[in-house]
Amino acid sequence: MGQRSVIVVGAGMIGLSTAWHLQERGVDVTVIDRTGVAAGSSRGNAGWLSPALTLPLNDPSTLAAGVRATLKSDSPVYLPMRSAPRLAGFLSSFTRNSTPERWERSLRRLVQLSREALGAYAELADHDARLATREAAAVTAAFADERGREHLVDELEQLARIGEKVEYHLLDERSLHDSSPHLGPGLTAGLAITGQRFIDPGQYVQRLADVVAERGGRIITGSAVVRVDATAGGAAVRLDSGRAEQASQVVLANGAWLSRLARPQGVRTRVVAGRGYSFSVPCPESLTAPLYLPEARVACTPLANGRLRVAGMMEFRSPDDPLDPRRITAIERSASPHLPGIDWRDRQEEWVGSRPCTADGLPLLGRTRDEHVYVAGGHGMWGVALGPVSGRSMAELMCGERDEGSLASFDPLR
């Protein structure tokens, strides 16, 4: 087969980060995506690079609202009735993992990646200025009262107890509104987290794809991989066109569609679509860093074009389902009272993306049953935040620079 080659399935943040790091090690790379670059959960993501908030999905508070609440179309966590039977096994496993003890265990393991997340982004920026990120003076979280703030404070203190110190300070009503005059009067307590960064992920991933291509990588879009077959000394991916591409190794990084290809490779841990929604509105001049409205489950990110991305929701349904406009309306209804100065009539760029979620809140990173096929996915809401560090870890593993045991917590065969 000549020079060592790798096919990466998926042109999102994780797939392209893996491709970039493999190129750093002299590997010939081909990236294949069924739709296009950043066409999955990368494009409309909030784009927060915030280790302090990179927490496992199996938070016990997710279940605290009760099962009935998840059946309402305007609920921050929504499970349509027609999806419930198909997801029964996943939801049962998710419930078992949503205890304080299991959540803390997942948190400790996720910290293995999140503590290196910003450094991995800095490494990309050092090699190409187009991949620089934006510094946030502070990520501000705003609440109706101090009691509402307690849960986030508890999570940050839990991070500190396991050795991940987060710099933050509490804001009373006056200091909150002095620092964030765009906020409405119903918010009386806040918390400012420093040392975080952010990006416009769709724009960033496209730049990363450009860099991979400029360094000799092939990027094939509009072709779906239907299966992966073993070959003599490597693997072949079969495309829906009937064509086959061969390589020494294959990395499955195709997001919420990962299980379709990974299950035949022995990966039993299921990845499902936790769909998130976003749109943009005009950004207030005073809002220059990410804003978090935890009680509304809404994240706001200022974009370079003078608009504000408003993102939220966790919707468990098929990744191929169309955008549900009720979810966009629900986000606006939750956020608009807290941002009264925004022209909500100028709503643009409505988007839905399928975030790949696992029941234990941990990604899948490592080798499958086939020694030539690897998996990188299942990051839930944190594929953008953890993409570069995950890509670096995968390249190190595949090139013999990292022991498999160092990624045992994320073993795809667990």
Side-chain angles (χ1 to χ4, degrees):
M1 197 174 294
Q3 180 183 357
R4 183 179 181 186
S5 59
V6 172
I7 294 172
V8 178
V9 183
M13 181 68 84
I14 293 167
L16 288 165
S17 294
T18 302
W20 188 92
H21 280 286
L22 286 168
Q23 288 178 318
E24 282 290 281
R25 290 156 176 81
V27 178
D28 183 49
V29 172
T30 297
V31 180
I32 303 175
D33 195 278
R34 66 199 290 265
T35 306
V37 172
S41 57
S42 294
R43 185 173 300 280
N45 187 285
W48 293 10
L49 315 181
S50 50
L53 296 172
T54 304
L55 307 171
L57 178 63
N58 57 317
D59 187 334
S61 68
T62 302
L63 299 180
V67 174
R68 288 185 179 180
T70 68
L71 303 178
K72 299 178 181 178
S73 65
D74 60 350
S75 170
V77 180
Y78 177 44
L79 174 65
M81 282 291 292
R82 65 184 178 86
S83 298
R86 179 173 57 83
L87 295 175
F90 173 84
L91 295 172
S92 175
S93 181
F94 180 79
T95 300
R96 291 194 302 272
N97 279 285
S98 295
T99 65
E101 296 77 19
R102 291 195 177 191
W103 181 81
E104 181 171 339
R105 184 175 64 187
S106 293
L107 177 64
R108 288 178 179 274
R109 293 172 175 175
L110 199 61
V111 162
Q112 291 179 239
L113 293 177
S114 63
R115 66 163 52 106
E116 300 179 31
L118 294 181
Y121 267 99
E123 182 179 357
L124 289 174
D126 287 343
H127 282 76
D128 196 303
R130 289 174 293 177
L131 301 177
T133 62
R134 298 174 63 184
E135 182 178 4
V139 174
T140 300
F143 303 82
D145 53 40
E146 293 182 5
R147 183 177 179 182
R149 185 175 61 190
E150 290 175 359
H151 180 68
L152 181 55
V153 171
D154 287 344
E155 289 182 333
L156 297 179
E157 289 303 310
Q158 197 159 1
L159 278 170
R161 287 195 293 274
I162 65 174
E164 289 300 304
K165 181 65 176 175
V166 178
E167 296 295 333
Y168 72 91
H169 57 275
L170 304 180
L171 304 171
D172 59 21
E173 183 173 3
R174 180 174 178 178
S175 57
L176 173 64
H177 287 274
D178 283 348
S179 63
S180 305
H182 44 269
L183 292 176
L187 300 168
T188 66
L191 185 152
I193 306 171
T194 57
Q196 316 299 293
R197 304 188 74 86
F198 64 104
I199 58 172
D200 178 341
Q203 182 185 80
Y204 189 99
V205 172
Q206 183 59 63
R207 289 174 179 169
L208 182 55
D210 292 342
V211 172
V212 168
E214 289 166 9
R215 285 153 54 108
R218 283 197 304 155
I219 298 181
I220 302 171
T221 59
S223 294
V225 175
V226 295
R227 72 176 192 271
V228 181
D229 295 331
T231 64
V237 299
R238 308 290 175 178
L239 306 181
D240 54 0
S241 64
R243 196 172 90 230
E245 293 278 343
Q246 298 193 43
S248 310
Q249 296 168 308
V250 171
V251 179
L252 304 178
N254 55 325
W257 296 267
L258 193 151
S259 289
R260 297 180 187 177
L261 298 178
R263 188 170 181 81
Q265 309 302 323
V267 178
R268 296 292 182 258
T269 298
R270 191 173 176 189
V271 174
V272 305
R275 305 199 324 161
Y277 285 75
S278 73
F279 56 88
S280 75
V281 290
C283 186
E285 289 186 10
S286 59
L287 207 169
T288 59
L291 169 68
Y292 185 26
L293 302 171
E295 291 156 319
R297 302 285 182 98
V298 170
C300 302
T301 308
L303 305 176
N305 63 1
R307 296 185 67 80
L308 180 71
R309 176 165 294 151
V310 184
M313 300 295 173
M314 177 62 75
E315 175 188 66
F316 292 105
R317 63 195 300 179
S318 169
D320 296 311
D321 282 354
L323 180 147
D324 185 343
R326 297 175 300 173
R327 310 298 284 151
I328 296 288
T329 301
I331 295 175
E332 179 179 325
R333 187 184 301 121
S334 296
S336 56
H338 305 307
L339 295 164
I342 285 178
D343 182 2
W344 294 92
R345 298 167 298 178
D346 186 7
R347 196 172 72 196
Q348 300 178 19
E349 302 171 292
E350 295 182 358
W351 172 88
V352 61
S354 295
R355 298 168 298 200
C357 300
T358 62
D360 62 3
L362 296 175
L364 310 178
L365 298 171
R367 186 170 55 84
T368 69
R369 186 174 56 196
D370 184 331
E371 63 177 342
H372 302 293
V373 181
Y374 291 74
V375 165
H379 290 68
M381 297 179 291
W382 307 116
V384 167
L386 300 177
V389 67
S390 296
R392 184 173 69 192
S393 298
M394 289 298 297
E396 291 171 347
L397 179 64
M398 296 172 69
C399 294
E401 300 172 14
R402 176 187 282 268
D403 182 82
E404 285 192 2
S406 66
L407 294 175
S409 298
F410 315 115
D411 186 354
L413 302 179
R414 66 181 184 267

